[in-house]
mmCIF file of all heavy atoms in Angstrom:
data_model
loop_
_atom_site.group_PDB
_atom_site.id
_atom_site.type_symbol
_atom_site.label_atom_id
_atom_site.label_comp_id
_atom_site.label_asym_id
_atom_site.label_seq_id
_atom_site.Cartn_x
_atom_site.Cartn_y
_atom_site.Cartn_z
ATOM 1 N N ASN A 324 68.048 177.115 119.557
ATOM 2 C CA ASN A 324 68.869 177.906 120.443
ATOM 3 C C ASN A 324 69.574 178.996 119.562
ATOM 4 O O ASN A 324 69.773 180.154 120.050
ATOM 5 C CB ASN A 324 69.865 177.035 121.215
ATOM 6 C CG ASN A 324 69.175 176.211 122.255
ATOM 7 O OD1 ASN A 324 68.116 176.653 122.787
ATOM 8 N ND2 ASN A 324 69.786 175.101 122.636
ATOM 9 N N ALA A 325 70.038 178.611 118.482
ATOM 10 C CA ALA A 325 70.767 179.614 117.575
ATOM 11 C C ALA A 325 69.851 180.764 117.188
ATOM 12 O O ALA A 325 70.242 181.883 117.040
ATOM 13 C CB ALA A 325 71.299 178.951 116.403
ATOM 14 N N VAL A 326 68.598 180.457 116.981
ATOM 15 C CA VAL A 326 67.555 181.423 116.635
ATOM 16 C C VAL A 326 67.440 182.462 117.773
ATOM 17 O O VAL A 326 67.520 183.737 117.638
ATOM 18 C CB VAL A 326 66.234 180.847 116.224
ATOM 19 C CG1 VAL A 326 65.147 181.971 116.125
ATOM 20 C CG2 VAL A 326 66.285 180.104 115.030
ATOM 21 N N ARG A 327 67.314 181.888 118.973
ATOM 22 C CA ARG A 327 67.204 182.699 120.187
ATOM 23 C C ARG A 327 68.462 183.528 120.461
ATOM 24 O O ARG A 327 68.424 184.702 120.778
ATOM 25 C CB ARG A 327 66.918 181.783 121.340
ATOM 26 C CG ARG A 327 66.464 182.610 122.606
ATOM 27 C CD ARG A 327 65.899 181.671 123.681
ATOM 28 N NE ARG A 327 65.421 182.514 124.809
ATOM 29 C CZ ARG A 327 64.285 183.111 124.911
ATOM 30 N NH1 ARG A 327 63.378 182.920 123.958
ATOM 31 N NH2 ARG A 327 63.915 183.811 125.923
ATOM 32 N N ASN A 328 69.549 182.875 120.198
ATOM 33 C CA ASN A 328 70.852 183.578 120.441
ATOM 34 C C ASN A 328 71.145 184.614 119.456
ATOM 35 O O ASN A 328 71.885 185.594 119.618
ATOM 36 C CB ASN A 328 72.129 182.605 120.415
ATOM 37 C CG ASN A 328 72.067 181.591 121.510
ATOM 38 O OD1 ASN A 328 71.500 181.827 122.577
ATOM 39 N ND2 ASN A 328 72.766 180.586 121.330
ATOM 40 N N ALA A 329 70.401 184.618 118.217
ATOM 41 C CA ALA A 329 70.451 185.708 117.354
ATOM 42 C C ALA A 329 69.587 186.808 117.743
ATOM 43 O O ALA A 329 69.426 187.818 116.946
ATOM 44 C CB ALA A 329 70.053 185.207 115.922
ATOM 45 N N GLY A 330 68.899 186.820 118.842
ATOM 46 C CA GLY A 330 68.124 187.823 119.371
ATOM 47 C C GLY A 330 66.710 187.878 118.805
ATOM 48 O O GLY A 330 65.877 188.831 118.991
ATOM 49 N N ILE A 331 66.263 186.779 118.225
ATOM 50 C CA ILE A 331 64.940 186.675 117.584
ATOM 51 C C ILE A 331 63.895 186.108 118.626
ATOM 52 O O ILE A 331 64.208 185.047 119.157
ATOM 53 C CB ILE A 331 64.935 185.809 116.339
ATOM 54 C CG1 ILE A 331 65.861 186.449 115.316
ATOM 55 C CG2 ILE A 331 63.546 185.560 115.809
ATOM 56 C CD1 ILE A 331 66.126 185.490 114.040
ATOM 57 N N ARG A 332 62.891 186.916 118.856
ATOM 58 C CA ARG A 332 61.847 186.408 119.760
ATOM 59 C C ARG A 332 60.487 186.318 119.050
ATOM 60 O O ARG A 332 59.557 185.721 119.675
ATOM 61 C CB ARG A 332 61.687 187.403 120.945
ATOM 62 C CG ARG A 332 62.986 187.531 121.809
ATOM 63 C CD ARG A 332 63.299 186.348 122.568
ATOM 64 N NE ARG A 332 64.516 186.496 123.306
ATOM 65 C CZ ARG A 332 65.715 186.177 122.955
ATOM 66 N NH1 ARG A 332 65.889 185.736 121.673
ATOM 67 N NH2 ARG A 332 66.735 186.317 123.683
ATOM 68 N N ARG A 333 60.399 186.868 117.886
ATOM 69 C CA ARG A 333 59.082 186.753 117.162
ATOM 70 C C ARG A 333 59.442 186.704 115.720
ATOM 71 O O ARG A 333 60.260 187.425 115.196
ATOM 72 C CB ARG A 333 58.192 187.956 117.468
ATOM 73 C CG ARG A 333 56.886 188.001 116.817
ATOM 74 C CD ARG A 333 56.097 189.277 117.212
ATOM 75 N NE ARG A 333 54.777 189.328 116.530
ATOM 76 C CZ ARG A 333 53.735 188.753 116.935
ATOM 77 N NH1 ARG A 333 53.730 188.147 117.962
ATOM 78 N NH2 ARG A 333 52.622 188.871 116.190
ATOM 79 N N ILE A 334 58.722 185.786 114.961
ATOM 80 C CA ILE A 334 58.968 185.592 113.549
ATOM 81 C C ILE A 334 57.667 186.013 112.858
ATOM 82 O O ILE A 334 56.710 185.311 112.965
ATOM 83 C CB ILE A 334 59.389 184.240 113.254
ATOM 84 C CG1 ILE A 334 60.730 183.860 113.908
ATOM 85 C CG2 ILE A 334 59.517 183.996 111.793
ATOM 86 C CD1 ILE A 334 61.213 182.323 113.799
ATOM 87 N N GLU A 335 57.760 187.099 112.052
ATOM 88 C CA GLU A 335 56.583 187.509 111.306
ATOM 89 C C GLU A 335 56.702 186.918 109.878
ATOM 90 O O GLU A 335 56.967 187.562 108.905
ATOM 91 C CB GLU A 335 56.566 189.061 111.218
ATOM 92 C CG GLU A 335 56.280 189.738 112.522
ATOM 93 C CD GLU A 335 54.777 189.719 112.826
ATOM 94 O OE1 GLU A 335 53.953 189.209 112.029
ATOM 95 O OE2 GLU A 335 54.433 190.078 114.024
#
Side-chain angles (χ1 to χ4, degrees):
N324 287 332
V326 173
R327 190 168 183 83
N328 292 339
I331 298 172
R332 298 295 181 268
R333 180 180 178 87
I334 300 170
E335 293 282 352

